[in-house]
């Protein structure tokens, strides 16, 4: 074996070793989720060297310098101020969803006008309009990390895969009996999974668009869906108040997470897929152990419906958004205690997301604003205002240097 180079993954922190073995070039990923400003980098480098035969003494200084670069990036606690860079006057009818590509250079917008548009973030120009759906385009995403394909799900009961460079429709996935409200690429980009108001999910072959299997068992509409890291499982969240776990090879349901007393609004995995969090209209969030399929904690501090939930990049913190006008951050690594309360919006908080470094929280609200908060103190750092209607979605780019906010006023705003 011979080491070729080190590769960095900033968020969440990790180091990849690219090396040759025989005639093959291979890559091994080393997660460094506990990297902090206090980490002894030389000691960390020695521990990596001890565990990885491909690392020899003559590359140790290069390894230390690489780890120092990673530490400087992920432990940067400087508070950024964002300024309004562009307003995208996007669609004729209200927006439904937005998404960045992996590098934060392009974004997608879906709309009730039956189209998806691709935008250049750097100059705010429209690159493509994807036309072909016969009803609202409700969900949009890139196939990261390559971002050469786009997936859309529509109220016309179909999902479509498009070339992100020229806008050509590559596949149409048929078979649902009601609106498709969630659609995701598998981690290896070989499959597509969809969730529908017809109470089923489906798995399709990406290359052909053929249906591989249907996931049946929910008794109400499916509103959330995620693959685990290796694509062997899917979780779905439903208005029936449950999370179902499915085997993507047999298309069978392996477990049902029961405990909420009302409809779910979202369910998500953490980074290593050891935890699932589910948010509900019953005013609670539940955290589940994926190995035992058991509830580890029920978070009850919200006073109204919980509308969104998300983990930070390391999977150690959880953020929640609620109709009670607040967002909250919770520790999910030890005692499940509330770490911060973000209080200041005048109306419901519909969306919440962590910055890539997990130092800041971004919220969007029906009061027409997004707000940037300190995760450590819970204090509002900046108000991103300018929309004239509800802000229903917000997102960071991969490096955290760009924010996008989407509103019912039919515009997106880019903040740099």
């Amino acid at each position: 074996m011979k080491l070729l180079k080190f590769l960095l993954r900033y968020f969440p922190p990790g180091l990849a070793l690219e090396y040759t073995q025989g005639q093959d070039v291979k890559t091994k990923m080393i997660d460094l989720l506990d990297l902090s400003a206090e980490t002894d980098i030389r000691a960390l480098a020695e521990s990596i060297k001890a565990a990885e035969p491909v690392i020899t003494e003559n590359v140790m200084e290069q390894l230390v310098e690489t780890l120092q670069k990673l530490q400087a990036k992920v432990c940067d606690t400087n508070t950024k101020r964002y300024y309004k860079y562009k307003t995208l006057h996007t669609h004729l009818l209200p927006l439904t969803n937005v998404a960045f590509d992996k590098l934060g250079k392009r974004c997608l917008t879906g709309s009730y006008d039956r189209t998806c548009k691709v935008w250049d973030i750097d100059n705010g120009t429209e690159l493509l309009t994807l036309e072909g759906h016969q009803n609202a385009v409700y969900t949009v995403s890139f196939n990261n990390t390559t971002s050469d394909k786009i997936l859309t799900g529509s109220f016309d009961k179909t999902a479509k895969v498009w070339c992100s460079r020229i806008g050509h429709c590559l596949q149409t996935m048929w078979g649902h009996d009601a609106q498709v409200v969630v659609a995701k690429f598998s981690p290896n980009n070989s499959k597509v999974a969809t969730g529908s108001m017809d109470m089923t999910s489906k798995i399709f072959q990406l290359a052909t668009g053929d249906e591989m299997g249907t996931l049946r068992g929910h008794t109400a509409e499916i509103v959330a869906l995620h693959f685990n890291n290796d694509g062997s499982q899917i979780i779905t969240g439903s208005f029936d108040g449950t999370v179902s776990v499915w085997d993507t090879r047999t298309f069978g349901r392996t477990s049902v997470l029961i405990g909420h007393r009302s409809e779910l609004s979202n369910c998500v995995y953490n980074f290593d897929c050891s935890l699932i969090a589910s948010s509900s209209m019953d005013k609670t969030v539940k955290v589940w152990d994926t190995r035992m399929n058991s509830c580890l904690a029920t978070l009850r501090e919200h006073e109204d419906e919980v509308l969104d939930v998300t983990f930070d990049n390391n999977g150690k913190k959880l953020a929640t958004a609620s109709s009670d006008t607040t967002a909250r951050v919770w520790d999910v690594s030890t005692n499940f205690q509330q770490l911060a309360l973000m209080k200041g919006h005048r109306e419901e908080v519909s969306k919440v997301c962590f910055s890539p470094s997990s130092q800041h929280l971004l919220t969007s609200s029906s009061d027409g604003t997004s707000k940037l908060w300190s995760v450590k103190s819970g204090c509002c750092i900046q108000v991103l205002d300018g929309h004239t209607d509800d802000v229903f979605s917000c997102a960071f780019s991969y490096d955290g240097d760009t924010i996008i906010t989407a509103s019912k006023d039919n515009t997106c705003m880019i903040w740099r």
Side-chain angles (χ1 to χ4, degrees), residues 16-163:
L17 311 178
E18 186 175 291
Y19 62 95
T20 58
Q21 188 171 30
Q23 300 300 313
D24 299 325
V25 176
K26 298 186 176 182
T27 302
K28 179 177 182 179
M29 194 73 216
I30 303 171
D31 294 328
L32 301 172
L33 304 185
D34 295 324
L35 184 68
S36 69
E38 291 74 37
T39 299
D40 183 328
I41 293 299
R42 193 161 291 277
L44 176 60
E46 289 291 346
S47 68
I48 294 173
K49 176 177 179 290
E52 304 296 338
V54 74
I55 298 178
T56 58
E57 189 62 37
N58 63 347
V59 299
M60 279 299 288
E61 287 307 313
Q62 182 186 352
L63 175 58
V64 168
E65 291 175 6
T66 301
L67 292 172
Q68 288 172 338
K69 180 181 178 182
L70 180 64
Q71 184 183 46
K73 180 71 173 180
V74 303
C75 300
D76 179 11
T77 58
N78 294 330
T79 299
K80 298 176 180 177
R81 298 286 298 184
Y82 294 84
Y83 67 93
K84 191 188 304 180
Y85 176 66
K86 291 282 184 180
T87 298
L88 309 181
H89 297 278
T90 51
H91 293 268
L92 298 175
L93 294 175
L95 301 178
T96 57
N97 230 315
V98 297
F100 275 111
D101 72 358
K102 181 65 175 178
L103 297 178
K105 299 298 185 182
R106 293 173 294 166
C107 75
L108 303 174
T109 55
S111 170
Y112 282 96
D113 69 8
R114 306 183 179 187
T115 70
C116 171
K117 291 181 182 287
V118 186
W119 302 86
D120 185 308
I121 292 297
D122 287 335
N123 55 33
T125 58
E126 180 183 321
L127 299 175
L128 296 169
T129 297
L130 310 182
E131 298 179 294
H133 281 295
Q134 302 303 307
N135 207 326
V137 176
Y138 193 73
T139 178
V140 296
S141 61
F142 284 100
N143 65 324
N144 294 324
T145 58
T146 56
S147 299
D148 62 338
K149 294 181 179 65
I150 293 166
L151 177 60
T152 56
S154 170
F155 285 179
D156 67 7
K157 308 177 188 178
T158 73
K160 291 179 181 287
V161 178
W162 314 75
C163 171

Side-chain angles (χ1 to χ4, degrees), residues 365-369 386-392 406-410:
S365 170
S366 297
D367 65 13
T369 70
H387 286 293
T388 58
D389 207 334
D390 299 7
V391 181
F392 66 86
S407 169
K408 290 183 179 178
D409 65 10
N410 295 6

Side-chain angles (χ1 to χ4, degrees), residues 8 38 117 204 353:
L8 290 180
E38 291 74 37
K117 291 181 182 287
F204 298 88
C353 50

Side-chain angles (χ1 to χ4, degrees), residues 280-300:
S280 171
M281 302 305 175
D282 67 8
K283 307 179 186 179
T284 72
V285 171
K286 290 183 180 289
V287 182
W288 310 83
D289 184 322
T290 58
R291 291 156 294 190
M292 304 299 294
N293 295 317
S294 59
C295 183
L296 297 175
T298 300
L299 312 180
R300 304 181 183 276

Side-chain angles (χ1 to χ4, degrees), residues 13 32-35 270-272 274-275 310-319 329-337 339 354 358:
L32 301 172
L33 304 185
D34 295 324
L35 184 68
N270 70 338
F271 170 70
D272 64 4
S274 62
L275 300 176
T310 188
F311 287 100
D312 72 347
N313 271 328
N314 292 350
K316 297 183 178 182
K317 296 186 184 73
L318 186 73
V329 176
W330 312 79
D331 168 36
V332 292
S333 63
T334 52
N335 56 12
F336 301 98
Q337 294 300 301
L339 299 176
F354 283 97
S358 304

